[in-house]
Amino acid sequence: MKIEKITLYLVKMELKHPFRTSFGVTKERDILLVSIQSGDKIGWGECVAEHGPWYSGETITSCKHVISEYIIPWLKKNEIEHPNQYPDLIHKIKGNHMAKACVEDAIWDLYGKLEEKSLRDLIGGEKDTIPSGISLGIQQDFGTLLEKIQNAIEQKYKRVKIKIEPGWDVEIVKKIRDQYPNLDLMVDANSAYRLKDEEIFQALDKYNLMMIEQPLQSYDIMDHVKLQKKLSTPICLDESIKSVDDARIAIEYDACKIINVKPSRVGGISETLKIHELADLLKIPLWCGGMLETGIGRAKNVSVASLSTFTLPNDISESARYYTNYLIEPIFKLTKNGTIDVPTKLPGIGVAIKNEEIEKNLKEKIEL
Ligand code: OSB
Ligand code: MG
């Protein structure tokens, strides 16, 4: 792959509604995009880092720094034939998974375009359509949440995930269950609790939840082991799993029974494929998480969720859930069965980039 031009874009995207988790509120997002050109083909990657280091230690600024100062110079010095050679090329860079992943995404997209193959086919994805779940942030009151749940059910989302934090947990779940005894429901704490809060999880254990996502701190694998022993509800890890090695440890010690895979959190598509192989071997169900991506990251996630081990509904909602203007076309729409079709008609991530939308919302552009 002869790489000719690399560009970083910082694009401002307004969210339709503020999204609140236990670590904060997001009202708008500055999104870092990378494009890599070879001949007349351009591959695109979206960085999921947020403004502050709350979900992970990375930020938009740290990603911009690591990409432009370290990743891109190495990429320019060393030609690669296939995207799976990229992780070795940059392996001396520790951490910084989101920075690494967005460049890897662009390389996969470019490779797909050069080879005229969809990302799904390049990685061996098997599905044409993937089950879609919705993630509902913490609301100002229960009535608002109930309305959003009712909407999600009417739209045919295959499961509802609600964010929880101390003070917005057992009572809320109980009230949801009173109304919807059979709803496929789960909760995500984004590490808002400690092991001493185990009674809260024992109380939640009575409500037939599909899983409890990331109850404790991301480095607390052993505490998750202790908590899982006391619960019949499966624990699902998100923030804790940053690599296939983390996944292996968590599974071997029974810290969780399910993994939410975010390709960007684990450092890219290649590492995701390793987790897929491990999950296949050990029969661990996976699903693809989300980070409020625009269409570029969303398209990559949909392709990843087509892998056979991604058996549970994904945090991949339709494009209109978060945004009113779109960087891609066609946008992602929920089918009447609550699924999202995997885009395979165009090569790479399978969607066309709307350059004029990027230009319209552009805050910064850096040619590397
Ligand atoms: O923990 O899964 C999470 C959004 C931002 C940061 C962390 C998380 C989330 C979500 C939203 O739950 C998932 C989505 O993109 O729909
Ligand atoms: Mg999560």
Side-chain angles (χ1 to χ4, degrees):
M1 272 194 273
K2 184 128 194 56
I3 289 172
E4 280 145 33
K5 193 170 160 197
I6 301 172
T7 311
L8 285 184
Y9 304 78
L10 192 63
V11 180
K12 182 177 159 148
M13 295 290 288
E14 213 72 56
L15 281 180
K16 254 186 183 170
H17 313 283
F19 188 80
R20 179 160 159 225
T21 68
S22 63
F23 58 74
V25 187
T26 309
K27 295 197 175 117
E28 56 180 34
R29 299 207 61 201
D30 282 345
I31 305 229
L32 189 64
L33 301 173
V34 60
S35 75
I36 304 184
Q37 186 164 356
S38 178
D40 62 349
K41 310 288 185 202
I42 302 177
W44 287 87
E46 171 175 346
C47 183
V48 301
E50 297 165 302
H51 218 272
W54 317 128
Y55 169 82
S56 85
E58 293 182 86
T59 68
I60 296 162
T61 307
S62 78
C63 287
K64 224 162 68 178
H65 168 66
V66 171
I67 291 169
S68 54
E69 299 292 319
Y70 301 101
I71 297 177
I72 299 306
W74 275 349
L75 192 61
K76 281 184 166 168
K77 260 191 277 159
N78 304 278
E79 196 163 323
I80 55 172
E81 302 295 321
H82 189 277
N84 65 18
Q85 295 167 341
Y86 167 80
D88 269 350
L89 190 70
I90 53 150
H91 83 278
K92 285 189 178 166
I93 302 169
K94 307 296 185 299
N96 292 286
H97 289 189
M98 293 172 174
K100 288 172 177 170
C102 82
V103 176
E104 187 178 330
D105 288 352
I107 295 172
W108 279 96
D109 184 34
L110 176 61
Y111 184 76
K113 285 168 175 159
L114 292 169
E115 296 288 311
E116 297 192 348
K117 284 196 176 125
S118 69
L119 177 59
R120 181 197 68 177
D121 293 348
L122 285 180
I123 63 174
E126 294 175 5
K127 300 181 203 105
D128 293 321
T129 197
I130 58 119
S132 181
I134 195 168
S135 174
L136 298 175
I138 294 163
Q139 309 295 322
Q140 74 234 17
D141 52 59
F142 180 70
T144 313
L145 179 62
L146 210 57
E147 227 169 83
K148 297 202 173 207
I149 292 174
Q150 185 56 36
N151 266 332
I153 294 169
E154 279 162 19
Q155 282 186 277
K156 299 280 188 279
Y157 276 106
K158 288 208 179 286
R159 62 100 172 109
V160 171
K161 154 170 146 180
I162 64 157
K163 295 287 187 180
I164 56 167
E165 66 180 2
W168 183 272
D169 44 37
V170 183
E171 257 321 285
I172 298 295
V173 169
K174 181 188 174 305
K175 280 168 37 189
I176 297 172
R177 271 287 174 248
D178 287 346
Q179 296 267 342
Y180 303 104
N182 301 315
L183 175 66
D184 280 336
L185 179 67
M186 57 174 288
V187 295
D188 183 1
N190 287 109
S191 301
Y193 300 87
R194 303 293 180 272
L195 193 57
K196 65 175 169 49
D197 302 314
E198 66 180 54
E199 297 94 69
I200 290 176
F201 296 102
Q202 277 161 340
L204 287 172
D205 213 17
K206 299 189 182 82
Y207 294 103
N208 190 26
L209 298 173
M210 296 171 80
M211 67 195 90
I212 296 172
E213 183 176 341
Q214 197 66 47
L216 312 176
Q217 297 289 281
S218 57
Y219 45 79
D220 273 351
I221 291 289
M222 293 320 288
D223 283 352
H224 281 103
V225 172
K226 290 179 189 165
L227 184 60
Q228 180 67 89
K229 275 196 179 62
K230 298 187 174 171
L231 302 178
S232 51
T233 310
I235 290 180
C236 167
L237 290 177
D238 173 353
E239 285 92 323
S240 291
I241 308 297
K242 298 196 182 69
S243 64
V244 67
D245 287 327
D246 287 346
R248 196 173 50 74
I249 290 168
I251 295 165
E252 204 160 308
Y253 286 100
D254 210 15
C256 66
K257 301 196 182 294
I258 299 170
I259 296 175
N260 162 350
V261 178
K262 293 180 184 167
S264 307
R265 186 193 69 228
V266 302
I269 293 172
S270 302
E271 193 74 9
T272 300
L273 293 174
K274 290 186 194 167
I275 297 177
H276 158 66
E277 279 170 31
L278 180 78
D280 192 37
L281 193 71
L282 303 178
K283 302 284 169 269
I284 297 294
L286 306 178
W287 54 279
C288 184
M291 293 288 293
L292 317 176
E293 284 90 346
T294 74
I296 296 171
R298 198 164 292 272
K300 184 270 309 284
N301 286 346
V302 175
S303 304
V304 164
S306 75
L307 291 163
S308 59
T309 50
F310 287 65
T311 51
L312 292 164
N314 305 281
D315 268 353
I316 305 176
S317 47
E318 62 176 1
S319 299
R321 152 101 178 95
Y322 291 118
Y323 296 102
T324 46
N325 55 332
Y326 308 108
L327 305 182
I328 57 150
E329 59 188 353
I331 62 169
F332 290 99
K333 292 208 166 119
L334 205 61
T335 67
K336 56 182 187 313
N337 300 319
T339 68
I340 287 184
D341 292 340
V342 185
T344 54
K345 289 191 189 74
L346 295 173
I349 55 172
V351 291
I353 306 302
K354 286 165 77 180
N355 290 301
E356 69 284 3
E357 274 302 316
I358 292 178
E359 292 297 330
K360 211 163 79 189
N361 300 292
L362 197 62
K363 285 178 86 170
E364 195 183 351
K365 183 171 173 177
I366 311 169
E367 306 277 358
L368 296 170

